[in-house]
Amino acid sequence: MKHTGIAEIGGALVERLRTHMVPEVIRSTDHIGLCSPADKGDMELGLYLYDIRESDEIRGTSMIMVDASRQKYPSSFFNLYYMVTAYSGSDFKYRAEEEQKILGRVIQIFSDYATFDDMRQGVGSPEGETAPTIVMQNLSLEDKMRVWTVPDVAYKTSLFYRVGPIEIDSRRVKDTQRVVDVDLTVKHDDRRE
């Protein structure tokens, strides 16, 4: 992927949720999107990218041939970490139940559709081509509260996911020279006779 890979994954997550949640669980596609919990607007379901880390599972190590005279440096691979929070607009007495239904549906969708097969990447990686996957994270309550950084607002139960690996390809290219002349000399060892 190009430098837009992170944004493409965010958009793909939102689109996957919109496809499977509207209109049964959430009224409109406009109410599912990328947002910070501090700036959620009228979202009923918000995805917040709270961390990006280099992947430990996959690393690009070998140069990639662009053509006969150029090689491209290896791609970098990253994992993206999202917090998913429901913000029901229901009446106060029904709000908690509605938010729990929304979160339950998110778990179901991300379990049923955990791989982005249409976003295969990593042709230049040692492991070969791979597709980003969605994996639920088991964080402690303290870690969850650290991610929830909204002043004066109580923590809302949220889901935490890792999506990756995401490939960011290198634009750096190195010129190479083709082998044009080979000198093969055979020496005879007289000592063996």
Side-chain angles (χ1 to χ4, degrees):
M1 285 188 187
K2 300 176 183 166
H3 68 279
T4 58
I6 295 168
E8 288 173 23
I9 287 294
L13 288 168
V14 168
E15 189 57 36
R16 185 158 290 177
L17 291 170
R18 287 175 175 173
T19 299
H20 298 284
M21 293 187 86
V22 175
E24 311 94 41
V25 182
I26 293 180
R27 300 180 306 253
S28 167
T29 56
D30 293 337
H31 294 244
I32 301 173
L34 300 170
C35 66
S36 159
D39 189 23
K40 66 175 185 65
D42 62 351
M43 293 293 172
E44 289 183 50
L45 183 63
L47 286 84
Y48 172 53
L49 175 63
Y50 69 89
D51 200 6
I52 301 171
R53 295 184 191 168
E54 193 165 10
S55 174
D56 292 331
E57 303 89 32
I58 183 171
R59 293 189 188 277
T61 55
S62 46
M63 301 292 280
I64 302 162
M65 292 302 296
V66 175
D67 55 39
S69 62
R70 295 182 307 147
Q71 291 181 329
K72 186 167 69 167
Y73 281 78
S75 297
S76 298
F77 294 86
F78 298 89
N79 288 317
L80 310 179
Y81 295 84
Y82 290 90
M83 178 174 70
V84 182
T85 309
Y87 308 98
S88 174
S90 295
D91 186 72
F92 179 74
K93 56 186 164 183
Y94 304 111
R95 189 171 301 153
E97 181 181 353
E98 286 300 313
E99 289 175 351
Q100 290 170 21
K101 287 179 183 176
I102 291 169
L103 293 177
R105 185 68 176 123
V106 170
I107 292 169
Q108 189 177 50
I109 292 165
F110 284 170
S111 294
D112 288 348
Y113 305 97
T115 304
F116 290 99
D117 288 323
D118 57 332
M119 298 178 125
R120 290 198 165 275
Q121 57 191 351
V123 176
S125 72
E127 289 80 7
E129 209 170 301
T130 185
T133 57
I134 305 167
V135 179
M136 183 177 254
Q137 300 297 285
N138 293 318
L139 302 180
S140 69
L141 184 57
E142 293 79 24
D143 288 339
K144 291 176 181 181
M145 301 219 14
R146 271 189 226 116
V147 174
W148 182 272
T149 56
V150 186
D152 303 323
V153 176
Y155 169 73
K156 290 180 76 62
T157 301
S158 300
L159 304 171
F160 292 81
Y161 287 93
R162 181 189 79 214
V163 182
I166 307 304
E167 179 181 14
I168 305 292
D169 63 351
S170 175
R171 294 188 68 196
R172 190 172 167 202
V173 176
K174 173 181 167 182
D175 290 331
T176 59
Q177 215 173 10
R178 294 179 73 189
V179 176
V180 292
D181 191 14
V182 177
D183 182 17
L184 297 174
T185 306
V186 178
K187 292 185 180 182
H188 181 66
D189 190 1
D190 293 333
R191 291 181 291 173
R192 297 180 112 197
E193 294 179 6

